[in-house]
Amino acid sequence: MSHQLTIEPLGQVIEVEEGQTILDAALRAGIYLPHACCHGLCGTCKVQVTDGEVEHGEASGFALMDYERDEGLCLACCATLESDSAVIEAEIDDEPDALNLPVQDFAGVVSRIEDLTPTIKGVWIELDAPMTFQAGQYINLQIPGESQPRAFSIASSPAQASEIELNIRLVPGGKGTGWVHQQLRPGERVRLSGPYGRFFVRASAHDKQGLGYLFLAGGSGLSSPRSMVLDLLAAGGDKPITLVNGARAQDELYHHAEFLQLAAEHPRFTYVAALSGEPEGSGWQGARGYVHEAAKAHFGNDFRGHKAYLCGPPLMIDACISTLMQGRLFERDIYTEKFISAADAQQVRSPLFKKI
């Protein structure tokens, strides 16, 4: 049995299957609804139900108060339809650079696995059917024995639609990353869905305003920026591209040789690698310190004329935001990649930043 859902202000009608969440149905129809945690904890996907009945599912009382339920609000990531038809109103941003690709299910074979660092594995998946995605997006990987999939950014270029690369860091105690690091083997079949996410370059704004591209990455947060950089270089153009990539020590710095080679081949691409814990006397000739410190030094604390894309651990992102704003770059030109865990979603986040 399916239901009909009208999404305003678009006026678009989509089919919603029995038990399917509003968010999943919208994404699979190519309609992006703002969301973050996908577990009913953060409230980002709150929408107004103007007609019809919904079941609220596992929406937390903190993210969706009782009075909000009484007023017809629901969380799209948890809510399912109970009436044959319904109408919702959602805040849908007009993003001219978004491809608005529908989410689909995919299957494939793990073609290879490599140790990129002591804690990060590169996993390549050859898909049964190619996936069209936008550089910076992510997929949800199904984990055996787990009801909830795990989100991982795509590290490869969109030009490689039949084989995607994931860079997966081992999270202590993490069931999903533990399975990848300890059990997953080449030749195994896996299932995933995608593409997801609203983290992509705003190319039209760069072209219109003559802005350069600044990518700040740390750890496995390098995945999305790598995909974006590869895509931008393949597309050509004259806008400068700078990647500042941080790690603790040389053995945790991956794809380093590739970026050095790209910088040598493309005059508009600058690569800065920064190590925060590299021992003295190791022979390291690059920058030392954290990502935000290396970026500040490289640009002389003046980031005007850029749009910045940040991807990495929360502490890194917070430090980079502060540094960028001190260097005269503000909210409209700062974008971040955020995967919110249940623990993260419980934290109070400042409403100051809408994009970040």
Side-chain angles (χ1 to χ4, degrees):
M1 177 181 175
S2 63
H3 311 261
Q4 283 196 330
L5 175 67
T6 303
I7 301 177
E8 299 291 0
L10 299 178
Q12 189 165 340
V13 180
I14 65 172
E15 293 291 323
V16 182
E17 298 300 322
E18 187 74 22
Q20 184 180 26
T21 66
I22 290 174
L23 177 61
D24 185 63
L27 295 177
R28 289 177 181 273
I31 300 173
Y32 180 83
L33 299 182
H35 61 280
C37 76
C38 295
H39 300 297
L41 297 168
C42 71
T44 304
C45 65
K46 197 172 296 179
V47 297
Q48 179 75 51
V49 181
T50 60
D51 188 44
E53 300 294 328
V54 301
E55 165 59 45
H56 290 287
E58 298 182 359
S60 79
F62 174 80
L64 187 68
M65 304 287 187
D66 287 341
Y67 78 88
E68 292 179 305
R69 301 175 192 230
D70 294 339
E71 292 175 353
L73 293 170
C74 73
L75 300 186
C77 74
C78 296
T80 57
L81 298 188
E82 289 198 318
S83 54
D84 292 339
S85 63
V87 180
I88 64 168
E89 289 185 358
E91 292 185 10
I92 300 178
D93 294 332
D94 181 21
E95 291 281 5
D97 294 293
L99 295 184
N100 294 318
L101 300 165
V103 168
Q104 301 179 62
D105 295 318
F106 294 86
V109 176
V110 177
S111 51
R112 58 187 170 119
I113 299 177
E114 292 183 8
D115 290 327
L116 300 178
T117 78
T119 59
I120 299 175
K121 284 188 181 290
V123 179
W124 284 260
I125 302 172
E126 187 173 344
L127 301 172
D128 294 349
M131 175 191 293
T132 300
F133 66 93
Q134 197 162 6
Q137 291 192 294
Y138 68 94
I139 58 93
N140 277 341
L141 181 66
Q142 295 292 331
I143 307 298
E146 294 292 311
S147 59
Q148 293 291 340
R150 302 300 192 271
F152 299 110
S153 295
I154 304 173
S156 46
S157 165
Q160 298 172 282
S162 295
E163 185 181 51
I164 60 172
E165 176 187 345
L166 309 176
N167 301 156
I168 301 176
R169 180 178 68 89
L170 179 63
V171 177
K175 294 181 179 179
T177 62
W179 172 74
V180 170
H181 276 252
Q182 298 159 15
Q183 300 180 48
L184 186 63
R185 297 290 182 268
E188 290 190 37
R189 290 192 63 79
V190 293
R191 295 183 298 115
L192 55 96
S193 59
Y196 293 95
R198 213 66 165 175
F199 189 57
F200 53 84
V201 296
R202 272 63 178 180
S204 62
H206 286 271
D207 293 338
K208 183 178 181 180
Q209 302 171 34
L211 302 175
Y213 298 87
L214 171 58
F215 297 96
L216 305 179
S220 60
L222 181 61
S223 299
S224 291
R226 178 175 182 261
S227 180
M228 293 163 145
V229 168
L230 293 175
D231 193 43
L232 286 170
L233 293 177
D238 58 0
K239 303 296 183 297
I241 303 169
T242 303
L243 169 63
V244 183
N245 179 34
R248 281 187 290 267
Q250 289 190 65
D251 65 346
E252 296 183 3
L253 197 62
Y254 68 101
H255 288 320
H256 181 62
E258 175 190 44
F259 287 122
L260 290 174
Q261 182 64 34
L262 288 172
E265 295 173 353
H266 300 272
R268 71 184 183 116
F269 176 55
T270 301
Y271 171 57
V272 179
L275 301 181
S276 61
E278 180 70 9
E280 295 294 336
S282 67
W284 172 250
Q285 300 297 312
R288 290 179 179 269
Y290 295 102
V291 172
H292 65 285
E293 296 170 334
K296 181 177 181 178
H298 181 79
F299 285 95
N301 197 33
D302 187 351
F303 300 101
R304 289 174 296 175
H306 295 83
K307 277 189 178 289
Y309 302 87
L310 286 53
C311 195
L315 289 177
M316 185 216 89
I317 289 179
D318 291 343
C320 286
I321 290 172
S322 297
T323 298
L324 291 171
M325 296 189 73
Q326 291 167 12
R328 305 175 79 174
L329 199 68
F330 301 103
E331 181 196 356
R332 66 179 181 273
D333 293 319
I334 302 175
Y335 302 88
T336 72
E337 170 78 304
K338 279 193 175 180
F339 292 126
I340 299 180
S341 68
D344 294 330
Q346 301 289 359
Q347 299 177 6
V348 176
R349 300 187 302 283
S350 169
L352 174 62
F353 302 112
K354 296 179 182 177
K355 296 191 190 76
I356 59 184

